[in-house]
């Protein structure tokens, strides 16, 4: 089949994969299509961890139509698994039994239990396998999963919304609303993708955010709010407790013991040995979240928290929104003190993408 057709069918599989966005963690997002005689006869995607994988969904779709897959080609965005994960059997076994003669793979699974082994098993059973079709796009789709399955750490996105001169609040602390309704909608879509949203206690005290996803239409899995609160000064009346059934408060050994009421509100208290500044150590917090199975987290601030994650080299990706407003030097900067004494020591961002909506600009890129 021509390479152009391979790309077109893989694009359709990718679009299917994205339907699982925000629902599959700690599993990857995967889409699959079965092609016979140049037309798609089966479609599927992984809907949720614990449910059928994309390949199985595509086979079931073809079976409903009474179509035999003997001699068909399977397009799948991620290498099929070859191991049993909890109650989910290996997809390679199902592929071999299906009658499919060719498999086209977008990206190799970085999971050490799979990585290359799924492709090898298919080839050992006489199935032709081609890899690397839209590999970059398929890999980017699962950047959360890819990092977590290899390192045990979540992928970290730092999101900030500021004026053109990089201020997130006025000198009095007023920050509502710097951005437009459209900007906030995009920010909520970011929240929908991740497992947790991290903020500092100062943000909670100043803005009392709900830290939930508020989008019109459909059921949304809410991210877990994580509050970095070294002195355990959060109020039981904070909005985060009324908008979520589960929350995490990261504090230090020096904080007072007053956890009973917070636990009654669904809060899990994580105590850490404080860092040199007396605050919650961000790296230790990320390791704990990763151990909980969280693959992607969104750091929303404030200024000190963002600086902390950047300073310690913990951020993978930045998403910065700029509104057409200017506050001036007495406002609160988007990123706090980083200890950078020269331009040469500045953090560089690569693979920049710029998006404009109305008079606002969104810039995203990778550290």
């Amino acid at each position: 089949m021509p390479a152009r057709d391979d790309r077109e069918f893989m694009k359709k599989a990718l679009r299917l994969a994205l339907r699982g966005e925000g629902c599959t963690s700690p599993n990857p997002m995967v889409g699959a299509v079965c092609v016979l005689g140049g037309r798609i006869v089966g479609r599927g995607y992984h809907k949720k961890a614990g449910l059928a994988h994309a390949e199985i969904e595509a086979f079931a779709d073809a079976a409903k139509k009474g179509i035999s897959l003997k001699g068909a080609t399977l397009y799948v965005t991620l290498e099929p698994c070859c191991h049993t994960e909890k109650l989910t059997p290996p997809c390679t076994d199902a592929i071999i039994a299906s009658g499919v003669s060719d498999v086209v793979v977008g990206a190799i699974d970085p999971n050490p239990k799979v990585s290359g082994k799924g492709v090898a098993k298919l080839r050992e059973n006489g199935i032709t396998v081609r890899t690397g079709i839209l590999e970059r796009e398929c890999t980017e789709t699962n950047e959360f999963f890819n990092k977590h399955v290899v390192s045990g750490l979540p992928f970290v996105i730092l999101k900030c919304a500021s004026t053109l001169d990089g201020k997130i609040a006025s000198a009095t602390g007023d920050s509502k609303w710097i951005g437009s309704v459209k900007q906030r909608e995009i920010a909520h879509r970011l929240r929908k993708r991740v497992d947790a949203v991290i903020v500092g206690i100062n943000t909670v005290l100043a803005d009392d955010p709900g830290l939930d996803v508020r989008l019109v239409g459909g059921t949304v899995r809410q991210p877990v709010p994580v509050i970095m609160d070294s002195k355990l000064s959060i109020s039981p009346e904070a909005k985060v407790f009324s908008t979520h059934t589960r929350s995490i408060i990261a504090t230090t050994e020096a904080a007072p013991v007053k956890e009973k009421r917070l636990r009654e509100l669904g809060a899990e208290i994580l105590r850490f040995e404080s860092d040199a500044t007396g605050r919650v150590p961000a790296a230790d917090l990320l390791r704990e979240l990763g151990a909980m199975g969280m693959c992607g987290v969104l750091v929303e601030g404030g200024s000190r928290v963002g600086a902390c994650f950047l300073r310690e080299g913990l951020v993978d990706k930045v998403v910065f929104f700029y509104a057409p407003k200017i506050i001036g030097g007495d406002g609160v900067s988007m990123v706090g003190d980083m200890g950078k004494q020269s331009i040469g020591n500045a953090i560089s961002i690569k693979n920049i993408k710029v998006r404009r909506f109305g008079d606002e600009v969104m810039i995203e890129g990778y550290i």
Side-chain angles (χ1 to χ4, degrees), residues 243-259:
T243 54
H244 295 270
T245 56
R246 181 193 179 195
S247 58
I248 294 173
I249 313 297
T251 190
T252 67
E253 81 292 347
V257 179
K258 53 175 184 178
E259 304 173 5

Side-chain angles (χ1 to χ4, degrees), residues 44-63:
Y45 69 97
H46 185 41
K47 296 181 174 67
K48 184 179 179 182
L51 298 184
H53 289 185
E55 301 94 322
I56 310 305
E57 290 279 356
F59 295 163
D61 185 40

Side-chain angles (χ1 to χ4, degrees), residues 243-312:
T243 54
H244 295 270
T245 56
R246 181 193 179 195
S247 58
I248 294 173
I249 313 297
T251 190
T252 67
E253 81 292 347
V257 179
K258 53 175 184 178
E259 304 173 5
K260 183 173 182 294
R261 177 57 181 146
L262 297 178
R263 292 188 189 280
E264 290 173 349
L265 293 168
E268 180 177 350
I269 312 299
L270 301 180
R271 285 187 179 267
F272 298 93
E273 184 176 341
S274 57
D275 63 17
T277 65
R279 297 189 177 95
V280 173
D284 291 349
L285 172 59
L286 285 183
R287 278 191 286 272
E288 189 68 27
L289 296 180
M292 293 177 180
M294 295 188 181
C295 297
V297 301
L298 181 66
V299 177
E300 290 203 2
S303 177
R304 288 180 180 176
V305 169
C308 171
F309 277 82
L310 284 169
R311 189 169 56 245
E312 296 187 29

Side-chain angles (χ1 to χ4, degrees), residues 144 147 153-158 198 286 295-299 309 314-318 367:
F144 295 177
K147 180 182 179 183
L153 296 172
F155 187 92
V156 179
I157 300 175
L158 173 63
I198 301 176
L286 285 183
C295 297
V297 301
L298 181 66
V299 177
F309 277 82
L314 303 174
V315 176
D316 297 291
K317 184 178 185 178
V318 297
I367 302 289

